[in-house]
Amino acid sequence: MSATSPLLAALGAQRLLPVLRSPDVPAAVARVTGLVEAGCRAVELTTSTPDWHLALAACRDALGDGPLLGVGTVTTADQAVAAIDAGAAFLVSPYPAPAVRAVAAERGTVFIEGGFTPAEVADAASRGPAKVFPAHVGGPRFLSSLRAVLPHAVLIPTGGIAVDEAPAYLAAGALAVGIGSGLPDDHAALARVFGGA
């Protein structure tokens, strides 16, 4: 699990994982830069962003290796290879993705594999952090039930969770909560969320 330690440390500190679906490359770079300047240490870009691999590479060029930039909604081996080649520090899938798992293992890249049923989540959690998706369907009580049978699992619920709902998921045992929308645009407000200057 040592490869996941920097990511887990970052997520444990910031408690929210921004999941970005930007309309284009410049918007993605601007949003990631704003988040990092506000103190965010880990950000997930998704493959639903047009030219997402170019966006990730541009973010890497602009920000260097400091922030942990990952790619989400990775469901194929080709996407996994492209993400890693563009500088992804971690990969995320919305559901079990053996092809992505194989590439991540071969390349030594952290993979947060998605699942919803207890069996899927337990399987993903046996290898590393697990994404619980779509988390809003079960809510915090479902997450709490998963924690009861998977007490050592590292769980990151994502999907349909508003920023003000995140504390309930954290109280139910989430390491961090994936947030796809609703984060403030204002730098000062973002800094209050992520502890930046």
Side-chain angles (χ1 to χ4, degrees):
M1 265 309 241
S2 61
T4 63
S5 295
L7 178 61
L8 296 185
L11 292 177
Q14 70 187 40
R15 306 309 306 264
L16 299 178
L17 174 61
V19 180
L20 304 184
R21 294 168 181 83
S22 299
D24 52 41
V25 171
V29 174
R31 186 60 166 159
V32 171
T33 300
L35 284 161
V36 171
E37 289 175 349
C40 188
R41 297 165 52 196
V43 180
E44 176 187 332
L45 298 172
T46 66
T47 59
S48 58
T49 295
D51 296 319
W52 57 268
H53 58 292
L54 300 179
L56 177 60
C59 289
R60 276 274 165 247
D61 289 343
L63 300 168
D65 293 330
L68 297 168
L69 305 180
V71 176
T73 322
V74 177
T75 59
T76 68
D78 287 345
Q79 288 175 332
V81 169
I84 294 167
D85 287 348
F90 61 96
L91 306 176
V92 185
S93 73
Y95 48 74
V100 177
R101 187 189 313 148
V103 172
E106 179 184 327
R107 300 286 294 269
T109 302
V110 176
F111 180 35
I112 303 172
E113 192 164 10
F116 183 73
T117 68
E120 289 173 344
V121 174
D123 184 54
S126 72
R127 289 180 293 276
K131 172 177 175 172
V132 180
F133 180 85
H136 71 93
V137 174
R141 290 182 65 190
F142 177 64
L143 190 75
S144 182
S145 294
L146 288 174
R147 293 290 300 162
V149 296
L150 300 168
H152 303 296
V154 176
L155 304 178
I156 303 171
T158 307
I161 302 174
V163 174
D164 62 355
E165 295 171 329
Y169 287 87
L170 295 171
L175 172 73
V177 177
I179 300 292
S181 61
L183 287 171
D185 293 317
D186 176 70
H187 176 78
L190 266 184
R192 284 193 293 275
V193 172
F194 292 107

